[in-house]
Amino acid sequence: MTTDSMLKFVQTAKRMPAKRAADARRQDFDEIYDEFVTDHAAEQAGRCSQCGVPYCQVHCPLSNNIPDWLMLTAEGRLEEAYEVASATNNFPEICGRICPQDRLCEGNCVIEKGFESVTIGSVEKYITETAFENGWVKPVKPPRERDESIGVIGGGPAGLAAAEQLRKRGYQVHVYDRYDRMGGLLIYGIPNFKLEKDVVERRSALLADGGVVYHPNTDIGSTVTLEDLRGRHDAVLIATGVYKARDIKCPGVGLDGIYPALDYLTASNRKGLGDAVPAFDDGTLNAQGKRVVVIGGGDTAMDCVRTAVRQGAVSVTCLYRRDRANMPGSQREVANAEDEGVDFQWLSAPEAFVGDGRVDGVRCHRMRLGVPDATGRQAPQVVEDSSYTVDCDMAITALGFDPEDLPAMFGAKELEVSRWGTVRIDFRTMMTSLDGVFAAGDIVRGASLVVWAVRDGRDVADRIHDYLAAKAETASARSAA
């Protein structure tokens, strides 16, 4: 390592890639950040202190070797930087864009206090885009092909990460997904201004070039049963994610004009992909010209409010029952939404939806934070006689997601689930109650971050390999006897 390439955080201020002006980015769904130019990426990577205990790596679910690829970037060794970044992450170009770095790696950077963190996510994105531009990103070429096949249910980040890891070992991998494209929420749930869809499609095409076989428009339970897949494959992975919107329980919830967040985001993303979307075109799931209220404080709520702005909503209000400091969403996303004109009403919660057949307002009450609950967060409490009404033509509920009833959907009553409806697994083997059937990602841990789904996909690929290797060894011993 050259002596003058690192430790520049004292002399060099934190610098993000250029961000498009709010007025400009309100007009389209393009990504809001430009890419780093080479000199700026090297300069920001050089701010890394190369500390002995890198908290950035410790707080990354994938344990990415962040100091190493920052050092290589600072020294201009970008191909090596990509090799290091991709060694622990199947989708660095995606995580660099959508990970909440302010809560993970950057938020735990040891130089954060007084100097501000290294811009880890933007450098990660820069490294990978440079790798694609230079042809350094290649399809998987396993050293040898294996006869065993694995069926993966779900083409989201957990399923695709597992698929790639299994292909690296030479397994025949088939991915089944209910939708017409691979990517899951990366395609249908996350707006373009955070993750342009050609980035996801480029990666899924690369996996196909490496031998992963896709089966789109395949709904397990109707198109094909779980038992059918168990007959076709030597192992099956359930990586469906969680899509069922959590209900909101208050008067007026049945009025027209109230929609779950994922329905709204899917319609917008499909429109952006060029699909025919009647529910968008007829104005049902289109915020243009409407007063929009979004209920929730997570990243999905931020996606909804910023999508509504771009669709031409007259006003966009976000209601959250806690204060800004206690919201689960990325503070960076909140700041971007505020720049774009979103009105955040903190410590506010819906009391009722009002209207005659169709919603025309949300009656809210003020909240205050009381004693901490079991998780350590202060529990919100209603302030008496504090009701007020927010005018509204369209309300979007973004309160999180729960798993669907997989045993019923898959026709597999023997598939055990937890009391939350997530698939129950043995955490040592990641196998479900069905022999040879594994599960990973949100369908096990509940709704979480994409980076955790990638981690789970990588881990379960190892456990599937262990299972098949043990099975082959047992079969070999029996035949020898």
Side-chain angles (χ1 to χ4, degrees):
M1 181 175 66
T2 57
T3 57
D4 60 348
S5 62
M6 308 305 295
L7 302 169
K8 293 182 177 179
F9 64 91
V10 176
Q11 299 91 2
T12 304
K14 177 178 180 178
R15 178 175 181 176
M16 292 286 289
K19 183 164 64 172
R20 298 164 59 217
D23 287 344
R25 64 184 194 248
R26 285 166 58 100
Q27 309 304 316
D28 58 47
F29 280 81
D30 295 343
E31 290 189 12
I32 72 169
Y33 288 99
D34 295 333
E35 290 184 31
F36 268 135
V37 296
T38 301
D39 290 345
H40 291 164
E43 175 189 71
Q44 289 300 302
R47 296 181 69 244
C48 177
S49 67
Q50 295 291 292
C51 53
V53 182
Y55 285 0
C56 58
Q57 183 172 353
V58 172
H59 286 86
C60 173
L62 289 165
S63 299
N64 285 333
N65 299 316
I66 296 167
D68 289 349
W69 50 254
L70 286 174
M71 179 190 69
L72 292 167
T73 301
E75 295 178 348
R77 298 157 62 186
L78 293 177
E79 187 169 5
E80 293 171 82
Y82 172 72
E83 291 298 327
V84 173
S86 61
T88 54
N89 189 354
N90 299 78
F91 314 126
E93 74 281 13
I94 293 172
C95 291
R97 287 170 162 88
I98 66 173
C99 266
Q101 289 96 2
D102 54 328
R103 298 197 321 240
L104 298 173
C105 53
E106 293 181 16
N108 291 280
C109 177
V110 298
I111 65 171
E112 175 72 34
K113 303 297 184 288
F115 293 100
E116 295 191 303
S117 63
V118 178
T119 51
I120 295 168
S122 298
V123 174
E124 183 178 36
K125 172 186 171 184
Y126 165 78
I127 291 169
T128 318
E129 290 305 316
T130 302
F132 272 106
E133 290 168 8
N134 285 279
W136 301 335
V137 187
K138 304 291 186 183
V140 171
K141 290 185 178 179
R144 69 180 181 90
E145 296 288 344
R146 299 174 183 264
D147 294 330
E148 301 100 322
S149 70
I150 294 99
V152 178
I153 304 172
L160 293 183
E164 182 172 42
Q165 293 302 106
L166 290 164
R167 271 302 295 153
K168 288 178 180 178
R169 296 181 182 271
Y171 291 107
Q172 310 309 308
V173 183
H174 295 253
V175 180
Y176 302 84
D177 197 274
R178 69 175 73 175
Y179 294 112
D180 54 345
R181 298 175 178 88
M182 296 296 141
L185 287 177
L186 300 177
I187 287 285
Y188 295 113
I190 299 177
N192 263 28
F193 52 80
K194 285 173 63 177
L195 178 62
E196 292 181 342
K197 299 302 166 261
D198 59 354
V199 174
V200 183
E201 292 174 330
R202 176 181 63 187
R203 179 60 72 170
S204 61
L206 192 72
L207 297 187
D209 291 343
V212 175
V213 180
Y214 294 141
H215 301 267
N217 300 308
T218 303
D219 190 33
I220 309 303
S222 57
T223 309
V224 62
T225 68
L226 178 60
E227 199 56 37
D228 289 337
L229 292 189
R230 295 181 73 189
R232 293 181 191 178
H233 303 289
D234 297 282
V236 173
L237 169 61
I238 300 173
T240 58
V242 291
Y243 288 86
K244 182 181 176 182
R246 287 180 185 159
D247 294 331
I248 183 169
K249 296 179 181 178
C250 62
V253 73
L255 292 171
D256 289 340
I258 304 171
Y259 309 105
L262 191 55
D263 290 358
Y264 173 66
L265 293 172
T266 299
S268 178
N269 281 314
R270 280 196 174 279
K271 188 67 179 178
L273 286 162
D275 295 351
V277 189
F280 180 93
D281 295 332
D282 67 12
T284 302
L285 291 173
N286 186 344
Q288 184 175 11
K290 297 177 182 176
R291 299 165 298 177
V292 177
V293 173
V294 176
I295 301 162
D299 289 334
T300 300
M302 299 307 99
D303 292 344
C304 290
V305 296
R306 299 181 66 201
T307 294
V309 165
R310 285 158 175 76
Q311 290 180 350
V314 172
S315 64
V316 182
T317 303
C318 182
L319 304 176
Y320 183 55
R321 61 181 182 160
R322 290 185 168 92
D323 60 13
R324 180 173 187 150
N326 284 279
M327 72 175 301
S330 166
Q331 292 293 331
R332 190 175 293 169
E333 285 296 295
V334 176
N336 288 332
E338 287 179 325
D339 289 346
E340 293 163 9
V342 176
D343 175 25
F344 285 89
Q345 297 197 10
W346 310 110
L347 292 168
S348 297
E351 181 181 0
F353 297 98
V354 296
D356 184 11
R358 183 175 183 84
V359 66
D360 60 26
V362 182
R363 189 167 72 244
C364 309
H365 39 216
R366 299 291 183 187
M367 310 292 288
R368 63 181 178 83
L369 297 181
V371 297
D373 60 18
T375 66
R377 300 178 74 193
Q378 289 179 279
Q381 300 174 346
V382 175
V383 176
E384 293 184 7
D385 301 322
S386 63
S387 294
Y388 69 101
T389 300
V390 180
D391 294 335
C392 171
D393 305 307
M394 181 181 196
I396 300 169
T397 58
L399 304 175
F401 304 99
D402 289 321
E404 297 169 290
D405 185 355
L406 290 193
M409 286 178 57
F410 290 175
K413 294 181 180 179
E414 63 275 26
L415 180 65
E416 293 182 4
V417 297
S418 71
R419 60 183 174 132
W420 300 281
T422 53
V423 174
R424 189 188 300 277
I425 63 171
D426 178 333
F427 284 94
R428 294 170 302 168
T429 64
M430 301 186 76
M431 193 186 298
T432 69
S433 54
L434 302 176
D435 182 58
V437 178
F438 298 78
D442 287 3
I443 196 58
V444 173
R445 68 167 63 242
S448 188
L449 301 174
V450 167
V451 66
W452 276 113
V454 176
R455 167 65 185 269
D456 292 346
R458 293 174 65 89
D459 287 347
V460 79
D462 289 340
R463 303 292 80 75
I464 292 172
H465 171 69
D466 293 342
Y467 167 79
L468 293 176
K471 196 174 180 180
E473 185 176 342
T474 300
S476 177
R478 284 177 179 171
S479 62

